Amino acid sequence: MAVTLAQSVSTGRVTTSGELSSRAAAEAYVGGVCFKLGPPTLIGAELEWLTVQGECSASGPAAAPRPQLTALAAALGPYAPRSVAPDSPAHALPGGSRVTIEPGGQIELSSAPFATAAQLCEQLSADTRLLRDLLESRAIRTVSLAADADRRPKRLLRLPRYHAMEQSFGGIGPFGKLMMCNTAATQVSVDAGADRAEVAARWKALYVLGPALLAAFACSPFLRGAPAGAWASQRMRTWLRLDYARTRPPAEDWSDPIGSYSRWALDVPLLCVRQPGGDSWAAPPGATFADWLSGALDDEVGRRPGPADLDYHLTTLFPPVRAAGHLEIRYLDAQPDDGWATPIHAVDALVSTPAVVAEATALAAPLAGAWLDAARRGLADPEIRTIAADLLDLAAAHAGTDSAAAELGDASRRCRRGQTPTGDLHTARTEIATADAAMGPDS
């Protein structure tokens, strides 16, 4: 489940087949592939880390050089993704996780789906330990930071996809390259729901809960190269400032997320157009997938899109919650050390039953749509702090295990104290960031 999108973009290989007959057919296709209906029983996750080659510098944990792609491929061996080792078998790790590499050398584990959060965390923990051992064989270390405060953004992967992304986002501002190369997230994936009504309830919940959970787990106040400003989550700032059409749909208001997501997806501008054997995948500026489908790009592209092109376009959509057969929650910072289990347990508990989904949605409703406030102010905002802690208390009451309940209770108390997952007081950290911003943006 959680591996689908990460694996689909890892090689840059191009396959196209057939054509889509109409917009209606394309919308039906999106609804079918993005929202798999069935009893919601599975959970998965993706964990990302910054990486460094050699010993960490005294000036900061991420100040050491980025690893060479050849070193990553050698360290990972048969588990290396084909983006860095084209002939690799790209095996899953023993716990079911697959490894991918992000453009700036960040490393990601995409789990297999599991029936319980406890099973998921157990297998991810084992795969994480093995991953670290493999990397350390080539003096590569993972760094548990959601934003790189020390290094300028540098893209290592030279795939046409990422070149097209950098070109497209570069015309908007600095946040595209920062997001691609200098940030890391914890992502949680859950089933969409048994029927359209349950999908709508779970979709709405995950969006309405988003600002509070974002603030509860925000821990990236510093990001080198970001414009001046104090933010609790510089990582989420990059997404919110990146490309509104692609990253900020009005999803909280969608009573029918299946139909609305399908229409929205076709009207998002193309990020790239895959060209068999071509080095440039640049898309005509401003053109949408619907434009391509209608024939408006026949001269520029030379062909109409097929299902494989639409599948790929769907991987270039980056909303806070992405539909990928399951629902992929993308608004959580990478957590310090092994703290990634806490947001996994929180999401698992808050969608555990329809009654809990409804209670959580009502509890978080005052913050619906408050993405910027949550990313900027985080737990320094009294209302956000209270709702975040209350949500974690609700999650603790419905956790799958006693240990998860205790972990979530600790997280709630941390939030009420205004402390970030790193243990820092949020107000103090914000004051430091404000003073730093007053000196001007980092060059």
Side-chain angles (χ1 to χ4, degrees), residues 156-178:
L156 302 184
L157 286 181
R158 313 314 296 177
L159 300 179
R161 168 187 174 92
Y162 297 121
H163 181 67
M165 287 177 68
E166 187 173 335
Q167 282 187 309
S168 177
F169 293 149
I172 300 172
F175 293 106
K177 193 168 184 178
L178 288 169

Side-chain angles (χ1 to χ4, degrees), residues 264 354 400:
W264 170 73

Side-chain angles (χ1 to χ4, degrees), residues 69-82 84-91 93 99 131 134-135 137-138:
L69 295 183
T70 52
L72 284 169
L76 294 170
Y79 308 114
R82 296 190 180 102
V84 297
D87 296 325
S88 171
H91 292 318
L93 296 174
V99 182
L131 176 67
L134 292 170
L135 295 175
S137 71
R138 293 296 189 277

Side-chain angles (χ1 to χ4, degrees), residues 93-378:
L93 296 174
S97 305
R98 293 189 181 273
V99 182
T100 51
I101 306 297
E102 295 298 306
Q106 310 96 309
I107 200 159
E108 176 181 275
L109 282 187
S110 298
S111 80
F114 291 93
T116 70
Q119 291 174 321
L120 168 63
C121 292
E122 180 182 0
Q123 295 303 316
L124 264 178
S125 293
D127 283 350
T128 296
R129 290 192 295 271
L130 175 57
L131 176 67
R132 288 172 176 159
D133 289 343
L134 292 170
L135 295 175
E136 287 178 2
S137 71
R138 293 296 189 277
I140 300 170
R141 304 165 71 90
T142 58
V143 181
S144 298
L145 290 174
D148 194 329
D150 300 304
R151 300 176 299 190
R152 291 182 176 87
K154 179 182 179 182
R155 182 165 61 90
L156 302 184
L157 286 181
R158 313 314 296 177
L159 300 179
R161 168 187 174 92
Y162 297 121
H163 181 67
M165 287 177 68
E166 187 173 335
Q167 282 187 309
S168 177
F169 293 149
I172 300 172
F175 293 106
K177 193 168 184 178
L178 288 169
M179 173 277 293
M180 292 169 64
C181 302
N182 277 33
T183 66
T186 295
Q187 297 178 13
V188 186
S189 294
V190 295
D191 284 327
D195 53 35
R196 296 181 82 96
E198 187 169 36
V199 169
R202 289 165 71 86
W203 176 270
K204 183 177 181 66
L206 293 176
Y207 264 93
V208 172
L209 301 178
L213 292 181
L214 159 61
F217 296 103
C219 56
S220 55
F222 306 117
L223 174 61
R224 180 164 186 173
W231 289 71
S233 176
Q234 292 278 7
R235 183 200 65 85
M236 193 62 183
R237 179 193 190 187
T238 67
W239 289 107
L240 295 172
R241 297 299 198 198
L242 180 62
D243 180 349
Y244 287 8
R246 191 174 311 282
T247 65
R248 295 173 64 182
E252 292 91 347
D253 299 327
W254 288 350
S255 60
D256 173 22
I258 297 177
S260 296
Y261 193 92
S262 301
R263 291 188 291 273
W264 170 73
L266 297 187
D267 291 328
V268 173
L270 292 164
L271 188 59
C272 56
V273 174
R274 298 179 303 158
Q275 299 289 358
D279 293 330
S280 175
W281 290 7
T288 68
F289 193 91
D291 293 332
W292 189 11
L293 184 64
S294 73
L297 306 184
D298 283 356
D299 290 338
E300 293 90 339
V301 179
R303 63 179 176 85
R304 299 286 176 90
D309 294 302
L310 184 48
D311 286 340
Y312 202 84
H313 175 65
L314 294 172
T315 71
T316 69
L317 309 181
F318 306 119
V321 179
R322 181 163 63 181
H326 50 275
L327 304 182
E328 182 182 270
I329 298 156
R330 302 172 53 83
Y331 46 70
L332 301 169
D333 279 2
Q335 297 297 287
D337 302 321
D338 294 327
W340 47 262
T342 307
I344 290 175
H345 288 304
V347 171
D348 178 59
L350 292 172
V351 299
S352 56
T353 69
V356 176
V357 167
E359 185 176 354
T361 303
L363 184 61
L367 298 181
W371 296 103
L372 284 170
D373 286 343
R376 187 192 299 273
R377 303 182 66 189

